[in-house]
Amino acid sequence: MKPENTGAVPKLGPLPALIFASRWLQLPLYLGLILAQAVYVFNFWVELVHLIEAAFGDQHALELLVKNIGYKSETEVTGLNETIIMLVVLALIDVVMISNLLIMVIVGGYETFVSRLRLEGHPDQPEWLSHVNASVLKVKLATAIIGISSIHLLKTFINAANYSEKVLIWQTVIHIAFLFSALAIALADRVMVHAQHAND
């Protein structure tokens, strides 16, 4: 039986208070991830501007795009083609998905391990944050990593002519390993939930 919550904040001894306060050491880590998020936003807009400039015939922007996506062709690239556009768009989607992953780590991690954000009732509160805990966060992060890995694998297959067979095989194997890892995490989480309900 759980003790009733009287609303009073329990007074901790010096050592427990110090240990509990040590969670704030994670705050610089989350602030650093916010800065990393800003770098991703800047990179996204740089690539998008290059894509728009290349669409209007800017050769320098096209060269930068081709270099950034690692695209190689037997003939000289003089303009955008479907493959280049697709690779650039996939790279932009990749940035967005990694950015989403960062948001989950920053918001979910802070809420779970540092302090409550007290967003209850806020119209912009993320749906997943209302029931977030360490287990839910692990499953969501694993799912996000699979999505990012899928985008990378798709980019590799579209540009397969510029990769060795060994690289293609290893990227596929790593992606499958991510899939099995996510399934294992989800299964372990389900077993723990069932065990907790059985104990209750």
Side-chain angles (χ1 to χ4, degrees), residues 87 89-95 97 145-158 171 175:
L87 288 171
V89 170
L90 285 174
L92 295 178
I93 293 173
D94 190 31
V95 171
M97 294 186 73
I145 290 171
I146 289 173
I148 294 168
S149 176
S150 300
I151 295 295
H152 274 276
L153 195 59
L154 182 57
K155 284 166 58 181
T156 301
F157 284 151
I158 291 173
Q171 285 202 12
H175 180 69

Side-chain angles (χ1 to χ4, degrees), residues 110-162:
Y110 184 89
E111 173 88 8
T112 304
F113 301 110
V114 180
S115 181
R116 297 292 182 187
L117 291 170
R118 307 192 188 284
L119 296 176
E120 293 80 5
H122 194 285
D124 293 329
Q125 179 187 5
E127 181 273 332
W128 55 269
L129 192 59
S130 60
H131 52 269
V132 70
N133 55 45
S135 296
V136 172
L137 195 59
K138 280 189 297 185
V139 173
K140 287 193 173 293
L141 291 179
T143 305
I145 290 171
I146 289 173
I148 294 168
S149 176
S150 300
I151 295 295
H152 274 276
L153 195 59
L154 182 57
K155 284 166 58 181
T156 301
F157 284 151
I158 291 173
N159 200 21
N162 296 318

